[in-house]
Amino acid sequence: MDYSQATLERIFILRLYSGEVVHETLEAFAEKNNIKSAICLFLGGAEDESKLVVGPKEGNALPIEPMTTILKGVHEGCGVGTIFCNSEGKPKLHMHGSFGRNNNTITGCMRAGVKIWSIGEIIMLELSSSAKREKDPKTGFELLKTQ
């Protein structure tokens, strides 16, 4: 395990509009407001045909082949994630969410493209931190580096 310490800075309350893509909107907001690291909480609705990454096809196989799923119909959702800058200094969101409709629920990474349906509420807690994301050559993932 690696770790570092952070302190809480600014707190932002965001309302996203119908059709906005969660990760694109939050990354653009972070860049515009010079946010290098943050915790993000999401509550709202996901539009029909929003996409989630729901796992690798094979757990230990390389190269990693992501599995995606498409939401059928509007879903209720909640999520939690972090923003840290990558090696180019761009803020990158890593957020997982759970989305439900009727008796069915799906959980996955929202990076594939979750679009807001009517309600998108975000609480963004900016952190003062030296942590960042660095590309791992083995997996291709931008992994958190705490120091």
Side-chain angles (χ1 to χ4, degrees):
M1 175 180 72
D2 294 326
Y3 73 95
S4 63
Q5 188 170 323
T7 56
L8 188 59
E9 296 288 331
R10 300 174 291 176
I11 300 172
F12 297 92
I13 300 167
L14 290 77
R15 176 185 170 207
L16 279 60
Y17 293 109
S18 289
E20 289 185 304
V21 177
V22 174
H23 76 277
E24 293 172 357
T25 304
L26 296 186
E27 289 171 356
F29 179 84
E31 188 164 16
K32 179 180 177 184
N33 289 279
N34 199 32
I35 299 167
K36 304 293 182 196
S37 54
I39 300 166
C40 299
L41 307 171
F42 162 76
L43 185 63
E47 184 61 75
D48 180 41
E49 297 192 5
S50 287
K51 297 176 189 169
L52 291 169
V53 176
V54 292
K57 286 190 178 183
E58 298 291 330
N60 294 317
L62 293 174
I64 294 171
E65 256 188 279
M67 295 182 346
T68 58
T69 194
I70 297 174
L71 300 180
K72 299 296 181 197
V74 171
H75 283 61
E76 298 289 337
C78 61
V80 63
T82 58
I83 290 176
F84 291 100
C85 287
N86 64 12
S87 57
E88 287 87 40
K90 297 282 188 187
K92 290 295 180 179
L93 177 72
H94 183 201
M95 179 176 274
H96 286 203
S98 288
F99 297 89
R101 182 174 175 85
N102 198 8
N103 294 323
N104 300 308
T105 302
I106 187 84
T107 300
C109 183
M110 295 168 62
R111 177 150 284 303
V114 171
K115 290 183 183 176
I116 296 296
W117 175 85
S118 291
I119 299 170
E121 300 172 354
I122 300 286
I123 305 297
M124 186 181 291
L125 308 167
E126 181 184 28
L127 302 172
S128 177
S129 169
S130 61
K132 58 186 174 182
R133 298 193 191 284
E134 288 187 358
K135 192 162 192 167
D136 176 51
K138 182 177 176 185
T139 63
F141 293 150
E142 289 182 323
L143 300 178
L144 186 61
K145 181 174 177 155
T146 60
Q147 298 180 26

